[in-house]
């Protein structure tokens, strides 16, 4: 039967409340000024409902369903990344093995074999990719192809698989369980995106990295990071084993690294001269457009927690 | 019976495969012809092209979409012939008989008159992976028989990576499907082909997938 620890249940309800508020606000805006186009905003929030609903369902069913679900997200992200990055026809066989690395990596997650989980992609897949490429024998563009393919699995499989590993770690805060850690990480990361956007939009003046992302401002970054740091400190004792002070550091870590995840993927898209990485999620773009910050926050939050408690 | 087979094949196999294994970035889907007679002219890189185009249609309309395909290839073995004719519902084209133009398109013309939507690949063959080959004039000779049927250009990109010619290994890959405005005013074959290739080139600029390093550098 479905068993969600009490604090995680509270967190889930709080997220749903926020979504209800967001939907209401959009509705009021549309009624008040019908002449303006809120289609994009409406789509965005509708998609949020779907994403949150599927995520919460998968998390509540069992740890295994949640791990399989994150494995599937890795698959979608890897597929999207391989499709937008230039590649050669001869790389197809290597890509097949990259897809195969997803169930293997998530198997280490499911059985909790930390030692292999942490080196499988950075060491074994890293060495295997050029081995397979050599056997195919296309040397023109070799470095570039090997580099982008290993980068693809590092970002979309290795980094993201840190999220479900939080479920496999032994429970310390029994009121929240592993689900609490996952919700904490996911919520703070997405909340950070929203906060940086809102702060930047309302008081943003000084451009931060105009060449990569012209909308990013110092005000947005500082405002967003401080809001998230504060919230993370307050929520940490509820959902994680972290104390309030440790939560403060976790929040700063998530805020700053989330920003970098966002702009690193922006640079990739800028290099390829595309705006979104796909059209999978209405109002959001591709799946990488949604997971970009998590690629950075997930491993950093995981290892911070791992260093302190495991 | 055949229609049931077709609906089942698309509902149980093609649509899930296209959704999960491929993943489409479809642009301007509303420009897809909703009723016949109409011709869809697409670029051709993979056997998946036809299936992807057909999967854009709802199940109750799929039997209306008929790919025009080479008889010498698709009718070459008994099983393939059964599958192509009964399950997919292709209109076989005898590529050898190009001399007798009237005879060549008889089946296609009657399908169009019946209100079907024809899928045509004006390149004539799948050719080199992810490269557009010169267009052939057949499409004009067919279209003129029916007093300027609207021809909707479609560019697909990525399927030549997912399953290129001569490969048996399928790999998941996101694919672009960019649909353009229908052409309905054309006087002669050269004019139509010029319009079509111009549309194709324009549609290609909307693609997200990069198929080669060279394209990325330029």
């Amino acid at each position: 039967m479905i068993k969600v620890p009490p604090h995680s249940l509270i967190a889930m309800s709080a997220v749903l409340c926020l979504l209800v508020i967001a939907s209401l606000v959009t509705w009021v805006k549309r009624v008040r000024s019908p002449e303006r186009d809120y289609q994009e905003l409406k789509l965005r929030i509708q998609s949020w409902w779907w994403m949150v609903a599927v995520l919460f369902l998968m998390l509540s069913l069992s740890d295994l369903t949640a791990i399989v679900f994150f494995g599937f997200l890795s698959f979608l992200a890897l597929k999207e990344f391989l499709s937008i990055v230039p590649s050669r026809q001869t790389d197809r066989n290597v890509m097949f093995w990259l897809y195969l690395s997803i169930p293997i990596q998530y198997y280490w997650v499911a059985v909790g074999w930390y030692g292999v989980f942490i080196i499988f992609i950075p060491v074994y897949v890293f060495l295997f990719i050029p081995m397979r490429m050599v056997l195919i024998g296309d040397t023109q563009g070799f470095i570039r192809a090997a580099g982008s393919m290993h980068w693809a699995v590092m970002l979309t499989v290795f980094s993201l698989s840190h999220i479900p590993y939080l479920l496999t770690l032994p429970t310390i805060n029994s009121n929240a369980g592993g689900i609490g850690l996952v919700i904490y990480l996911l919520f703070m990361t997405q909340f950070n995106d929203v906060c940086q956007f809102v702060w930047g939009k309302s008081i943003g003046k000084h451009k931060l990295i105009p060449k990569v992302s012209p909308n990013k401002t110092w005000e947005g970054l500082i405002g967003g990071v401080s809001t998230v740091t504060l919230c993370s400190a307050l929520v940490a004792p509820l959902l994680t084993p972290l104390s309030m002070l440790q939560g403060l550091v976790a929040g700063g870590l998530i805020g700053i690294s989330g920003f970098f995840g966002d702009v690193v993927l922006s640079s990739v898209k800028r290099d390829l001269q595309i705006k979104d990485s796909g059209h999978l999620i209405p109002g959001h773009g591709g799946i990488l457009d949604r997971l970009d910050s998590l690629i950075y926050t997930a491993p950093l939050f995981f290892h911070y927690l791992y260093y302190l408690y495991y | 019976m055949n229609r049931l087979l077709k609906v089942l094949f698309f509902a149980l196999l093609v649509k899930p495969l296209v959704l999960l294994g491929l993943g489409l970035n479809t642009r301007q889907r509303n420009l897809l012809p909703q009723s016949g007679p109409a011709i869809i002219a697409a670029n051709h890189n993979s056997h998946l092209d036809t299936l992807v185009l057909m999967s854009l249609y709802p199940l109750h309309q799929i039997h209306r979409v008929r790919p025009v395909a080479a008889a010498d290839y698709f009718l070459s073995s008994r099983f393939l012939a059964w599958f192509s004719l009964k399950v997919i519902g292709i209109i076989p084209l005898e590529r050898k008989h190009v001399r007798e133009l009237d005879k060549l398109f008889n089946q296609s013309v009657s399908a169009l008159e019946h209100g079907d939507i024809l899928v045509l690949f004006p390149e004539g063959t799948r050719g080199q992976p992810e490269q557009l080959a010169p267009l052939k004039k057949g499409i004009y000779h067919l279209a003129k028989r029916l007093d300027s049927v609207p021809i909707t250009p479609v560019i697909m990109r990525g399927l030549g990576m997912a399953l290129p010619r001569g490969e048996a290994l399928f790999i998941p890959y996101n694919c672009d499907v960019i649909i353009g405005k229908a052409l309905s005013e054309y006087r002669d074959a050269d004019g139509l082909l010029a319009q079509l290739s111009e549309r194709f080139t324009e549609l290609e600029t909307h693609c997200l997938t990069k198929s080669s390093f060279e394209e990325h550098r330029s």
Side-chain angles (χ1 to χ4, degrees), chain B:
Chain B
M1 178 59 192
N2 289 341
R3 190 175 160 192
L4 182 69
L5 267 181
K6 196 171 185 172
V7 165
L8 283 178
F9 178 66
F10 274 87
L12 300 179
L13 211 67
V14 178
K15 289 214 173 200
L17 179 84
V18 168
L19 190 72
L20 297 178
L22 289 171
L24 303 182
N25 301 316
T26 317
R27 286 281 183 98
Q28 310 187 122
R29 196 177 183 145
N30 55 320
L31 294 179
L32 210 61
Q34 288 309 310
S35 59
I39 296 177
I40 295 173
N43 64 327
H44 202 17
N45 284 311
S46 165
H47 280 322
L48 296 174
D49 292 337
T50 320
L51 298 179
V52 164
L53 279 173
M54 292 174 77
S55 78
L56 295 177
Y57 282 89
L59 288 173
H60 67 89
Q61 249 180 325
I62 267 178
H63 67 288
R64 283 291 191 196
V65 189
R66 313 275 312 270
V68 178
D72 51 278
Y73 185 96
F74 286 97
L75 303 186
S76 57
S77 78
R78 257 177 87 186
F79 173 74
L80 191 60
W82 171 81
F83 179 76
S84 311
L85 291 169
K86 304 294 179 194
V87 182
I88 305 290
I90 68 161
I91 299 174
L93 192 77
E94 297 283 351
R95 284 195 285 200
K96 280 173 258 159
H97 300 163
V98 244
R99 296 261 166 73
E100 309 157 68
L101 274 174
D102 292 345
K103 238 178 155 181
L104 183 69
F105 290 123
N106 273 346
Q107 274 200 62
S108 309
V109 170
S110 54
L112 282 173
E113 282 169 346
H114 181 238
D116 286 351
I117 299 165
L118 261 55
V119 176
L120 234 81
F121 300 107
E123 290 166 276
T125 167
R126 285 170 291 165
Q128 289 296 310
E130 304 288 281
Q131 281 176 26
L132 198 63
L135 307 181
K136 302 204 161 149
K137 291 182 180 170
I139 185 167
Y140 171 75
H141 295 294
L142 169 62
K144 77 168 182 194
R145 292 265 297 268
L146 272 112
D147 201 32
S148 305
V149 195
I151 300 177
T152 305
V154 177
I155 277 286
M156 287 174 288
R157 181 82 75 74
L159 292 160
M161 278 298 276
L163 187 70
R165 180 183 196 162
E167 291 272 351
L169 177 75
F170 167 84
I171 60 154
Y173 210 78
N174 276 13
C175 300
D176 295 301
V177 182
I178 323 278
I179 298 147
K181 269 201 200 126
L183 304 168
S184 49
E185 284 175 37
Y186 36 87
R187 292 236 180 80
D188 51 46
D190 291 328
L192 174 64
L193 293 193
Q195 279 189 63
L196 251 185
S197 15
E198 195 186 317
R199 268 307 143 82
F200 277 162
T201 318
E202 198 268 323
L203 294 179
E204 274 186 325
T205 60
H206 297 288
C207 290
L208 288 181
T209 58
K210 297 276 180 298
S211 47
S212 65
F213 290 168
E214 286 67 35
E215 192 193 355
H216 181 219
R217 275 192 211 112
S218 63

Side-chain angles (χ1 to χ4, degrees), chain A residues 136-215:
Chain A
I136 298 166
D138 184 2
T139 50
Q140 200 179 3
F142 187 90
I143 303 172
R144 194 171 164 176
S148 45
M149 281 193 287
H150 189 243
W151 208 40
V153 269
M154 283 298 285
L155 294 177
T156 61
V157 185
F158 180 69
S159 276
L160 290 181
S161 65
H162 283 77
I163 307 171
Y165 206 98
L166 293 169
L167 295 167
T168 309
L169 291 174
T171 305
I172 294 177
N173 181 345
S174 56
N175 282 324
I179 300 183
L181 290 169
V182 172
I183 295 178
Y184 182 80
L185 169 66
L186 295 187
F187 177 77
M188 290 308 163
T189 305
Q190 302 303 336
F191 186 55
N192 174 51
D193 280 4
V194 176
C195 285
Q196 295 201 7
F197 175 78
V198 172
W199 278 99
K201 196 107 181 172
S202 32
I203 58 160
K205 273 208 192 86
H206 302 87
K207 295 216 182 303
L208 190 55
I209 30 168
K211 279 184 188 164
V212 179
S213 195
N215 295 326

Side-chain angles (χ1 to χ4, degrees), chain A residues 110-121:
Chain A
V111 299
W113 192 351
Y114 181 78
V116 180
F117 159 78
I118 212 68
I119 61 164
F120 174 63
I121 287 172

Side-chain angles (χ1 to χ4, degrees), chain A residues 122-140:
Chain A
V123 177
Y124 291 99
V125 175
F126 169 70
L127 296 176
F128 179 80
I129 290 171
M131 269 164 63
R132 185 70 191 90
M133 287 172 67
V134 163
L135 294 177
I136 298 166
D138 184 2
T139 50
Q140 200 179 3

